[in-house]
Amino acid sequence: MSFKYHELPFGAQLLLWTSRVYIHGSCRSNPNKYQLVDLAYKKAGVDNGCYLLNEFLNILKLTGFLDLQSICSQNLTECEINLIRCIEEHKKEYINNKYFIKVWNLDDAADSFSHIAKSLALALKNAGLCTNIGFETDIQKRNPITKEISKTLH
């Protein structure tokens, strides 16, 4: 299944955009990549989002399986889809993250990965940010205009 950035729910757009900025952004610009990510999460209602994303992506970077595209890319890669689905899975009370541990080869860091992924997922959930890319709500199906307006991160 093919996913396009502009078709994602806002929470998934925010997660992907901030992840791409964190990986490909500059530390020397003003504001730097950390300030941009922190500002984006604070505006969305997640106070410690930059710290949580930093911890989450650092674990994935160590494995060498983290392959995020540049900020302006529209079509999502399998890694980016897995990143979003991982956070969505960790929003649930009972988590099955064996797939993500296997895909990203995280056997040695499984416990710390699970903890930080759960923390990031709960922070997004508590802020009311949707990261579910598997379905549309009934309201979105009935009202396509609202869907288009609410699903774009500017």
Side-chain angles (χ1 to χ4, degrees):
M1 181 173 218
S2 175
F3 289 98
K4 296 202 178 294
Y5 177 81
H6 65 276
E7 295 172 348
L8 297 173
F10 178 74
Q13 285 184 9
L14 179 66
L15 175 65
L16 184 56
W17 183 82
T18 54
S19 297
R20 287 174 173 180
V21 167
Y22 180 83
I23 297 298
H24 297 294
S26 173
C27 296
R28 297 180 183 175
S29 62
N30 190 14
N32 65 37
K33 64 183 181 180
Y34 305 108
Q35 292 167 326
L36 284 173
V37 169
D38 190 46
L39 179 65
Y41 277 113
K42 283 185 178 173
K43 285 191 177 275
V46 182
D47 289 332
N48 57 350
C50 183
Y51 168 76
L52 294 172
L53 184 70
N54 178 29
E55 295 294 312
F56 179 70
L57 293 178
N58 280 338
I59 291 172
L60 295 179
K61 280 188 344 185
L62 294 175
T63 66
F65 289 99
L66 185 63
D67 182 29
L68 299 179
Q69 302 179 89
S70 67
I71 297 166
C72 60
S73 298
Q74 284 296 314
N75 295 322
L76 277 61
T77 64
E78 184 178 348
C79 180
E80 292 170 333
I81 293 168
N82 282 336
L83 184 86
I84 296 167
R85 287 193 169 144
C86 175
I87 294 302
E88 181 61 28
E89 181 66 28
H90 281 83
K91 285 182 177 180
K92 299 175 183 173
E93 187 173 346
Y94 301 105
I95 303 161
N96 180 6
N97 65 356
K98 292 177 185 175
Y99 170 78
F100 302 108
I101 290 171
K102 181 181 177 186
V103 166
W104 288 319
N105 196 21
L106 293 166
D107 295 322
D108 296 336
D111 291 336
S112 59
F113 168 75
S114 296
H115 174 73
I116 195 62
K118 182 75 172 173
S119 298
L120 178 58
L122 289 178
L124 294 173
K125 182 179 180 180
N126 291 339
L129 298 171
C130 177
T131 55
N132 191 336
I133 58 176
F135 75 99
E136 295 179 329
T137 66
D138 289 337
I139 294 170
Q140 290 172 330
K141 288 178 184 174
R142 284 181 278 165
N143 191 351
I145 295 172
T146 304
K147 176 182 166 185
E148 291 302 317
I149 293 170
S150 67
K151 290 179 87 175
T152 304
L153 175 64
H154 295 280

